[in-house]
Amino acid sequence: PAVVRGLVAVLRRPVTDGATTVLPEQFLLRPDRFATDEHVVTVHWSTVPPSKITPGGAFDPQRRRHIHWVDVETGPLVFRFFDRAGHRAFTAELARTAAVARSVLLPADDKALALDGRR
């Protein structure tokens, strides 16, 4: 659980560092620009990976506009966020998934401690 909490904290850092201020609230381009296939990636981390936040951008000649993004490098993976809504939704979903996994997978005594000592 500590590693997942650390990863969620890393993914939330672009907001606290102000890196998401260049992003639009919602992405302005059509979603068909991206692949529709789903891919499953499994990464095992025994510790919180080193991280780096890199704002980026490029001019899209087809759409005639400059596109901003924020890359969050976490060990072997790079998460690229194009809008604030997507960033919020992704980090909230990861945090929710971690909370559910924690409540299901922890032993009963650890669950009680995780729930503020309630039994």
Side-chain angles (χ1 to χ4, degrees), residues 14-59:
V15 174
T16 57
D17 291 355
T20 58
T21 58
V22 298
L23 301 179
E25 179 59 30
Q26 293 188 336
F27 196 51
L28 302 174
L29 301 181
R30 294 188 321 249
D32 62 353
R33 175 183 170 133
F34 304 101
T36 57
D37 295 340
E38 290 187 20
H39 302 280
V40 176
V41 176
T42 302
V43 178
H44 174 73
W45 284 310
S46 55
T47 61
V48 178
S51 63
K52 179 179 161 187
I53 297 170
T54 309
F59 182 76

Side-chain angles (χ1 to χ4, degrees), residues 2-113:
V3 173
V4 177
R5 280 194 305 270
L7 182 60
V8 170
V10 164
L11 288 170
R12 287 182 174 153
R13 261 189 42 217
V15 174
T16 57
D17 291 355
T20 58
T21 58
V22 298
L23 301 179
E25 179 59 30
Q26 293 188 336
F27 196 51
L28 302 174
L29 301 181
R30 294 188 321 249
D32 62 353
R33 175 183 170 133
F34 304 101
T36 57
D37 295 340
E38 290 187 20
H39 302 280
V40 176
V41 176
T42 302
V43 178
H44 174 73
W45 284 310
S46 55
T47 61
V48 178
S51 63
K52 179 179 161 187
I53 297 170
T54 309
F59 182 76
D60 183 349
Q62 283 185 319
R63 307 292 191 257
R64 288 186 249 146
R65 67 172 45 122
H66 195 84
I67 300 170
H68 296 276
W69 62 78
V70 173
D71 287 340
V72 181
E73 297 177 38
T74 55
L77 299 179
V78 177
F79 298 92
R80 179 167 283 180
F81 298 102
F82 289 96
D83 62 28
R84 285 177 272 173
H87 177 261
R88 277 193 308 269
F90 181 77
T91 53
E93 185 64 19
L94 184 61
R96 187 192 68 77
T97 302
V100 169
R102 185 174 166 192
S103 70
V104 171
L105 299 176
L106 285 178
D109 291 341
D110 292 341
K111 282 183 196 178
L113 291 174

